Amino acid sequence: MSMDPVRPDRQKRMGPGPRVAMVLAAAGALVAGAALTLPGTASAGTTLGASAAEKGRYFGTAVAANKLSDSVYVGILNREFNSVTAENEMKWDATEPSQNSFNFSNADRIVNHAQSNGMRIRGHALAWHQQQPGWAQSLSGTALRNAMLNHITRVATYYRGKIDSWDVVNEAFADGNTGARRDSNLQRTGNDWIEAAFRAADAADPGAKLCYNDYNTDGQNAKSNAVYAMVQDFKSRGVPIDCVGFQSHFNAQSPVPSDYQANLQRFANLGVEVQITELDIEGSGTAQANNYQRVVQACLAVSRCAGITVWGIRDTDSWRASGTPLLFDGSGNKKPAYTSTLNALNAGGGTPPPTTTPPGNPPTTPPTTPPTTPPTTPPGGAGCSASVSLNSWNGGFVATVRVTAGSSGTNGWTVSLTLPGGAAVTNTWNASASGTTGAVSFRNVAYNGRLTAGQSTEFGFQGTGSATGITPTCTAS
Ligand code: G3I
């Protein structure tokens, strides 16, 4: 079988797992024989997270912020899991309840809990046809496209550096045999909405892995074939995608497919990481336990399968509680499915994930994102320099501007540039803008004006029209 050339993996941040493991190893050497408990790191081989970590994977769960005051829930969370996904708190309706007014309070509760317990964080979900705020549901066309891109930019910027993987786009393909995109208000803004979403997320948080996430794509079928073709296309054109999430919601009508592992593997062969993102399997007893075991075995057999997230902790926490689909019962007791999952994680075999970036074939076409403009002031001079990278689409753009202090450092800075005719700034972050068209300038805000020699900071702005060719100049004060 010949494979289309794919781009090499993009360099992305590592989750906290290896770091915590090193801390543990060092601490273990110092405190030989003494009982040692670090948050989020139970003994290897006896919890889901520790056992997965031994195989180079994470084991995560969806978390609801309003359950973080439930001591049974938190006790299991901290003992068993080393990754979390916000079940609802990072969705569009939760984070941007009115346009351009953001609320991260519940999402922050989950992020803070994860960070203080050494857990990695999956961000879910930046663009989705469901759980949109009412104001977005009433938009269409360019207004909706720009609102979506602004949302992605603002949320991913807010959490920059904290998210291991973002579900950038969720559930964009139709069920059934058509292999078509799902009809939605987002789809109706133009077929390129998915790649525009990925480019915006990449500009906002270049260190996060960027995933496409869907259900009923767990085996080979018309829907997963369509997602496969999209990923193949993105990789060949340099659209920034790093991972595909397989939700894996299973029950009698939708069982674990016989080709589950083969399907994960064919996506991995495209040069993306695969992740099991929302696992739950309705049932009970041995049958349920066997199904969980199969899923774990499939992930361990695919070297690029980075980890597994279950969609809740106790059966009673599940979005479909009546199907008792999770690993702990309503009282927090371990079910047979827990034991089979842990045993499968601990069993020998499996393919470790690669420790180095494997070589990839060169791209067939150059990336469509314009290259970064070189700094306007030579490095090493006094003052400051600025460079811009643009994420453009038909009718709009997001500009990310990097400001670097020269040899004297800065107490403050101003970046000036001239927008082409027809372009206008609509929104700015991490700087204060003067003017919206023609000659515009951006002044530092309180927290990013002081830079030591050579230090950099970034701000961004969004606009309508085209900003191609803009050249920023930086003045230090
Ligand atoms: O918080 C309100 C509560 O105040 C109100 O009284 C109650 C009345 O309906 O609703 C509560 O909000 C619910 C929310 O879950 C929190 O429980 C929403 O109605 C309900 O729609 C929402 O359901 C979520 C669902 O996504 C929405 O589509 C589920 O919790 C969540 O598990 C589920 O997760 C999705 C993934 O994001 C994407 N893949 C499928 C998966 C399962 O549907």
Side-chain angles (χ1 to χ4, degrees):
M1 188 185 78
S2 76
M3 253 181 42
D4 288 345
V6 294
R7 290 180 162 261
D9 287 353
R10 290 141 33 82
Q11 293 294 331
K12 295 289 162 172
R13 75 176 54 94
M14 265 192 341
R19 178 176 58 75
V20 172
M22 284 187 315
V23 170
L24 257 187
L30 289 172
V31 196
L36 175 72
T37 310
L38 288 183
T41 59
S43 313
T46 62
T47 69
L48 302 169
S51 297
E54 286 192 332
K55 294 289 186 320
R57 270 77 173 181
Y58 65 82
F59 204 100
T61 179
V63 166
N66 64 6
K67 292 183 180 151
L68 289 174
S69 51
D70 175 334
S71 60
V72 174
Y73 182 88
V74 172
I76 301 172
L77 171 62
N78 291 356
R79 187 185 73 221
E80 297 286 345
F81 297 97
N82 55 16
S83 174
V84 299
T85 305
E87 186 175 2
N88 289 297
E89 293 77 354
M90 287 190 188
K91 292 172 180 174
W92 198 349
D93 60 351
T95 49
E96 196 180 357
S98 52
Q99 189 162 16
N100 244 332
S101 170
F102 290 81
N103 181 346
F104 296 109
S105 53
N106 282 327
D108 279 349
R109 289 167 68 191
I110 294 173
V111 168
N112 292 340
H113 187 92
Q115 288 198 310
S116 52
N117 287 280
M119 301 167 177
R120 73 177 73 197
I121 302 161
R122 296 197 77 264
H124 174 81
L126 292 170
W128 188 24
H129 65 283
Q130 282 188 25
Q131 285 179 279
Q132 295 180 0
W135 63 265
Q137 292 176 39
S138 68
L139 296 180
S140 62
T142 301
L144 176 61
R145 172 71 69 99
N146 286 343
M148 174 194 80
L149 292 167
N150 181 53
H151 176 77
I152 291 171
T153 301
R154 294 290 300 274
V155 175
T157 298
Y158 181 81
Y159 284 117
R160 179 179 357 205
K162 298 183 176 177
I163 304 294
D164 176 82
S165 303
W166 266 115
D167 290 332
V168 178
V169 170
N170 195 38
E171 302 177 4
F173 282 80
D175 292 311
N177 291 323
T178 63
R181 294 280 184 85
R182 175 192 297 280
D183 179 47
S184 73
N185 59 348
L186 295 172
Q187 179 63 28
R188 275 175 251 130
T189 70
N191 205 51
D192 62 345
W193 75 275
I194 298 181
E195 61 189 86
F198 275 84
R199 290 190 199 284
D202 189 45
D205 187 356
K209 287 178 274 188
L210 306 181
C211 302
Y212 176 78
N213 190 51
D214 214 329
Y215 67 90
N216 281 352
T217 49
D218 311 299
Q220 298 193 30
N221 55 40
K223 187 173 176 181
S224 66
N225 287 346
V227 175
Y228 181 90
M230 178 187 75
V231 174
Q232 194 171 37
D233 170 51
F234 281 11
K235 292 294 282 184
S236 73
R237 289 191 295 115
V239 177
I241 185 168
D242 304 291
C243 38
V244 177
F246 298 83
Q247 293 187 8
S248 306
H249 293 292
F250 297 123
N251 59 17
Q253 292 72 44
S254 176
V256 183
S258 57
D259 59 356
Y260 188 64
Q261 180 183 321
N263 191 49
L264 296 177
Q265 186 65 61
R266 72 169 175 150
F267 277 87
N269 291 346
L270 289 176
V272 286
E273 195 170 282
V274 294
Q275 303 185 17
I276 296 166
T277 51
E278 303 182 15
L279 178 63
D280 55 15
I281 310 177
E282 291 187 344
S284 61
T286 307
Q288 185 180 49
N290 289 343
N291 282 323
Y292 267 99
Q293 177 186 335
R294 282 191 50 212
V295 170
V296 173
Q297 287 172 339
C299 180
L300 292 184
V302 175
S303 65
R304 285 177 189 244
C305 181
I308 298 172
T309 298
V310 288
W311 206 239
I313 295 180
R314 300 163 300 196
D315 283 336
T316 43
D317 300 317
S318 171
W319 66 294
R320 46 182 186 174
S322 62
T324 61
L326 295 173
L327 300 177
F328 297 87
D329 69 19
S331 304
N333 301 308
K334 297 170 180 173
K335 294 167 57 180
Y338 171 91
T339 307
S340 69
T341 298
L342 184 66
N343 289 345
L345 288 168
N346 284 333
T351 314
T355 50
T356 55
T357 303
N361 296 315
T364 49
T365 53
T368 52
T369 304
T372 300
T373 309
T376 52
T377 309
C384 55
S385 61
S387 61
V388 62
S389 65
L390 281 179
N391 171 27
S392 303
W393 59 94
N394 191 14
F397 63 90
V398 168
T400 303
V401 182
R402 188 169 185 81
V403 175
T404 304
S407 54
S408 307
T410 63
N411 287 321
W413 45 260
T414 302
V415 169
S416 305
L417 54 89
T418 302
L419 289 169
V425 175
T426 55
N427 185 26
T428 303
W429 53 97
N430 294 344
S432 148
S434 294
T436 55
T437 58
V440 292
S441 62
F442 301 87
R443 175 83 187 146
N444 65 272
V445 286
Y447 53 83
N448 62 7
R450 275 179 193 277
L451 301 173
T452 57
Q455 193 183 8
S456 294
T457 188
E458 284 185 349
F459 71 93
F461 60 98
Q462 185 179 4
T464 53
S466 167
T468 303
I470 55 173
T471 308
T473 56
C474 188
T475 309
S477 54

